[in-house]
Amino acid sequence: MGHSLLCMMGFFLLSTVICGNDEDHTTHSQDADESEYQSKEQTTSAPPEPTVTLQPSWTQIYSGETVTVRCEIQGGEGAQWTYEWRPAKLNTPPKSSEYRISNAAECDSGEYSCRGKRDSSWTKWSDNITLTVLSPPKPTVTLQPSGTQIYSGVIYSGETVTVRCEIQGGEGAQWTYEWSPAKVNTPPTPREYTITNAAESDSGGYSCRGRRGSPWTEWSDITTLTVLSPPKPTVTLQTPWTRIYRGDRVTVRCEIQGGEGAQWTYEWRRGQVNIRETSNEYRINRFNESDGGGYSCRGRRSSSWTEWSDSTSLRVTVPTKPTVTLQPSWTQIYSGETVTVRCEIQGGEGAQWTYEWRPAKLNTTPTSNEHRFTVTESDSGGYSCRGIRDYLVTEWSDIITLTASYKPRPVLTVSPSWLSPGASVTLNCQVEHPSAGWSFYWYKAVPDLSEKSSSYELLPDGSGTAQDSYIIHGQTHTAGYVCRAGRGDPEYHTDHSQPKFVWSADVHSAASLTVSPDRVQHFTSDSVSLTCEGNFTEWRVMTVPPSDPSYYYNCWRMTGSTCNIYTSKSDTGVYWCESGSGEFSSAVNITVQ
Ligand SMILES: *[C@@H]1O[C@H](CO)[C@@H](O)[C@H](O)[C@H]1NC(C)=O
Ligand SMILES: *[C@@H]1O[C@H](CO)[C@@H](O)[C@H](O)[C@H]1NC(C)=O
Ligand SMILES: *[C@@H]1O[C@H](CO)[C@@H](O)[C@H](O)[C@H]1NC(C)=O
Ligand SMILES: *[C@@H]1O[C@H](CO)[C@@H](O)[C@H](O)[C@H]1NC(C)=O
């Protein structure tokens, strides 16, 4: 256009105006034909007015571009004008109607106006036109995914993205663009470039530059596009337990690794059946059998779907009836023993059950599946429990019965009753309700005359034997024995048994009992004296009546070391002496007829 205008105006002289230290860059042209032209009509009509125009008409020019300023005098066509310019630097002769500023510099910015002279009279000055020369802007490359928000330059293959070259302040002009990588430069090189069905090979750095006059802008910074293959989602179960019971509230979540920040749409299916759910979570308020199956999901954030996740299988676990166990598991519990009752739900591990107990006195801590207590007789009875979780209540367990008894007293038997040389003695300790878990303690009785009883001395290796019998070798004189039993942790002990004896008939031992008259058979109303002999100062005579071998008595008619009996049938029994220093004498079996 500039060129055709120059042609219309005939020919031009070129001169230069210096802008700052720049090299010559402004030319002006002037009509060389100075012929005077006057129009009467024009002198009588309105005075001609000058206008400054810019070609191209952009008021913002980038340095290096070319712009032409022209003084046009409206109504003055055909006349021979002389021009004057502001700024005055344009007035270096010859004064031209038109200046071409090629390779514009920032110092060319300013207000431009002109006036014309004809017949020695000047027109008025034109309005100012503002020319702004800027350094060219730096373009930027933007990435615009279709529909959804891009996530830090990352899209998934198959998606669509538009790469656009933005030149700030360059609107309205006809720009030409150049792209890097060059594959985008298919002519006419566009401002934006849409990559449909992106592939991983579209990943990379994009930059652009533009021009609308002669020079290019500088290259934009590189904007990186990353095309990833879409991630595979996973379905996760959002419950703290892995088992699902009927009635549970269950949430499954579709997780897309690395897909955070993007706006996804989800699709769900159970087996091959689609579920009406488009969010990343699928909730089932009361899970039942018909909700069971393999759940999978996939996501979409523009046009392309991720692949389907692997399927996560959900199904109803049928809760088993709980079981109550008693620890220790003895059927007979004695008062004073410590027991633990425990409620067990098979397959209920990991779930947050609370427990309900019968009897209700155990429900003080409802979440506890076990109770430990020291048994009294009032704890006898049936124990059962059930589990509760959300809406779910299991059946009651079978009842386990706890029978608490009084502290037992074991019964000791000693065999044989009479010592024979070389034979061993076997002790046997029987607990009233024999049940598992007992260990046994074996003692020797030591007579204690001041206490009118005996003290007990543990036999060698007689502490806590698993066997309920104990064998003694080489016993040569009368001895008394006691046992008791213990079990549990802390150990619970029975009472001591009644003492039992093995008797020696050997009258030549260190201590002996002699009978006068010297026979074993006596008749009622006989006067019989029993005398303790040996190197001891204090004695008592003891007897065990055959009618009740669990009792034994001491003679209450002692004179010195002699007991005098006026016999009756009830005096039948085995007699022996016990010394004040803990010795037993030989024994005699007396029958009264
Ligand atoms: C035109 O611009 C010049 C230089 O900046 C200024 O001195 C003058 O006042 C302006 N004229 C008008 C009419 O704005
Ligand atoms: C499971 O729940 C659904 C929805 O609440 C109900 O329609 C269906 O009958 C239930 N199925 C069973 C077996 O309880
Ligand atoms: C009786 O005991 C005394 C003192 O311990 C002792 O000196 C004496 O030898 C003992 N006699 C018999 C027969 O054992
Ligand atoms: C005592 O003697 C009688 C008669 O001989 C006998 O029946 C009984 O078993 C004996 N008692 C003991 C403990 O040996």
Side-chain angles (χ1 to χ4, degrees), residues 535-590:
N535 198 5
F536 306 103
T537 52
E538 201 183 353
W539 293 99
R540 68 180 172 205
V541 175
M542 305 298 292
T543 182
V544 177
S547 55
D548 189 355
S550 62
Y551 290 97
Y552 66 118
Y553 310 101
N554 57 330
C555 171
W556 49 274
R557 285 178 300 226
M558 285 291 285
T559 308
S561 54
T562 301
C563 173
N564 295 301
I565 311 170
Y566 200 59
T567 52
S568 69
K569 269 195 173 161
S570 66
D571 291 324
T572 293
V574 178
Y575 288 81
W576 72 97
C577 301
E578 292 178 3
S579 83
S581 47
E583 301 288 320
F584 294 98
S585 70
S586 58
V588 176
N589 182 4
I590 293 175

Side-chain angles (χ1 to χ4, degrees), residues 220-497:
S220 71
D221 288 337
I222 288 171
T223 294
T224 304
L225 173 69
T226 308
V227 184
L228 300 175
S229 54
K232 184 174 177 176
T234 50
V235 172
T236 55
L237 181 60
Q238 303 294 298
T239 55
W241 46 80
T242 53
R243 286 171 202 277
I244 300 168
Y245 295 102
R246 190 185 302 125
D248 274 357
R249 182 197 309 268
V250 172
T251 301
V252 280
R253 182 178 294 159
C254 188
E255 284 173 355
I256 300 176
Q257 203 72 35
E260 301 83 358
Q263 214 103 52
W264 292 89
T265 304
Y266 296 85
E267 201 170 282
W268 285 90
R269 66 185 185 193
R270 180 176 56 240
Q272 296 303 315
V273 179
N274 276 49
I275 300 173
R276 286 164 55 94
E277 178 61 68
T278 54
S279 84
N280 69 327
E281 285 192 345
Y282 178 59
R283 286 165 200 272
I284 304 155
N285 277 337
R286 285 175 170 235
F287 200 97
N288 69 21
E289 282 78 357
S290 60
D291 296 311
Y295 285 78
S296 54
C297 70
R298 60 176 184 168
R300 173 171 64 94
R301 49 170 220 178
S302 56
S303 50
S304 66
W305 290 97
T306 66
E307 63 177 308
W308 283 97
S309 71
D310 289 338
S311 104
T312 293
S313 177
L314 305 185
R315 64 192 156 77
V316 170
T317 303
V318 179
T320 52
K321 191 156 99 171
T323 319
V324 174
T325 59
L326 199 56
Q327 265 306 330
S329 61
W330 308 315
T331 54
Q332 186 66 45
I333 302 290
Y334 299 104
S335 83
E337 286 195 289
T338 301
V339 298
T340 303
V341 286
R342 181 176 297 125
C343 188
E344 281 169 5
I345 300 172
Q346 204 70 36
E349 300 82 0
Q352 281 158 7
W353 294 97
T354 56
Y355 297 86
E356 188 180 345
W357 284 92
R358 283 176 179 162
K361 66 178 174 184
L362 294 185
N363 289 331
T364 48
T365 50
T367 55
S368 179
N369 73 327
E370 66 173 49
H371 293 277
R372 185 175 165 85
F373 52 93
T374 301
V375 171
T376 64
E377 286 86 48
S378 67
D379 292 318
S380 292
Y383 287 77
S384 67
C385 71
R386 61 179 181 177
I388 300 169
R389 208 187 77 188
D390 290 348
Y391 306 100
L392 186 74
V393 179
T394 68
E395 279 183 75
W396 282 100
S397 71
D398 289 340
I399 291 171
I400 190 161
T401 302
L402 171 69
T403 309
S405 317
Y406 289 100
K407 201 173 209 181
R409 177 170 221 183
V411 173
L412 178 68
T413 54
V414 176
S415 161
S417 292
W418 293 92
L419 283 171
S420 53
S424 59
V425 178
T426 299
L427 311 184
N428 197 277
C429 195
Q430 294 296 326
V431 188
E432 198 178 5
H433 303 280
S435 48
W438 293 109
S439 55
F440 296 90
Y441 296 81
W442 307 95
Y443 304 89
K444 189 166 83 176
V446 179
D448 183 347
L449 268 49
S450 63
E451 289 293 314
K452 300 202 185 306
S453 68
S454 297
S455 58
Y456 309 122
E457 244 172 45
L458 206 55
L459 286 167
D461 299 324
S463 176
T465 65
Q467 299 295 323
D468 63 357
S469 58
Y470 185 95
I471 296 172
I472 298 162
H473 299 284
Q475 183 65 32
T476 55
H477 55 269
T478 302
Y481 299 100
V482 162
C483 75
R484 69 168 176 168
R487 67 178 181 181
D489 182 19
E491 192 166 31
Y492 168 83
H493 292 282
T494 66
D495 285 336
H496 289 92
S497 70

Side-chain angles (χ1 to χ4, degrees), residues 109-128:
S109 300
E111 310 284 354
Y112 285 80
S113 72
C114 69
R115 63 177 183 171
K117 188 173 82 173
R118 191 181 59 179
D119 299 339
S120 74
S121 68
W122 289 99
T123 65
K124 64 171 188 166
W125 281 99
S126 73
D127 288 340
N128 282 341

Side-chain angles (χ1 to χ4, degrees), residues 142-267:
T142 60
L143 297 175
Q144 288 188 310
S146 60
T148 53
Q149 196 60 42
I150 198 157
Y151 181 62
S152 61
V154 178
I155 62 169
Y156 296 120
S157 54
E159 293 185 324
T160 295
V161 66
T162 297
V163 187
R164 180 177 297 150
C165 190
E166 309 261 21
I167 300 177
Q168 206 69 38
E171 299 83 1
Q174 202 72 45
W175 290 88
T176 306
Y177 296 89
E178 188 179 347
W179 283 94
S180 169
K183 64 175 178 181
V184 188
N185 291 326
T186 46
T189 308
R191 173 177 173 224
E192 59 179 41
Y193 175 77
T194 297
I195 303 170
T196 54
N197 194 15
E200 279 167 57
S201 60
D202 292 316
S203 296
Y206 287 79
S207 71
C208 69
R209 60 178 184 173
R211 72 170 171 192
R212 56 177 195 182
S214 37
W216 287 102
T217 65
E218 63 177 309
W219 283 100
S220 71
D221 288 337
I222 288 171
T223 294
T224 304
L225 173 69
T226 308
V227 184
L228 300 175
S229 54
K232 184 174 177 176
T234 50
V235 172
T236 55
L237 181 60
Q238 303 294 298
T239 55
W241 46 80
T242 53
R243 286 171 202 277
I244 300 168
Y245 295 102
R246 190 185 302 125
D248 274 357
R249 182 197 309 268
V250 172
T251 301
V252 280
R253 182 178 294 159
C254 188
E255 284 173 355
I256 300 176
Q257 203 72 35
E260 301 83 358
Q263 214 103 52
W264 292 89
T265 304
Y266 296 85
E267 201 170 282

Side-chain angles (χ1 to χ4, degrees), residues 79-113:
Q80 199 68 47
W81 294 93
T82 306
Y83 298 90
E84 187 179 0
W85 284 93
R86 285 177 180 158
K89 65 180 177 184
L90 297 185
N91 292 329
T92 45
K95 295 173 181 176
S96 170
S97 66
E98 186 171 299
Y99 289 88
R100 197 151 81 115
I101 307 171
S102 59
N103 194 17
E106 280 169 52
C107 65
D108 292 318
S109 300
E111 310 284 354
Y112 285 80
S113 72

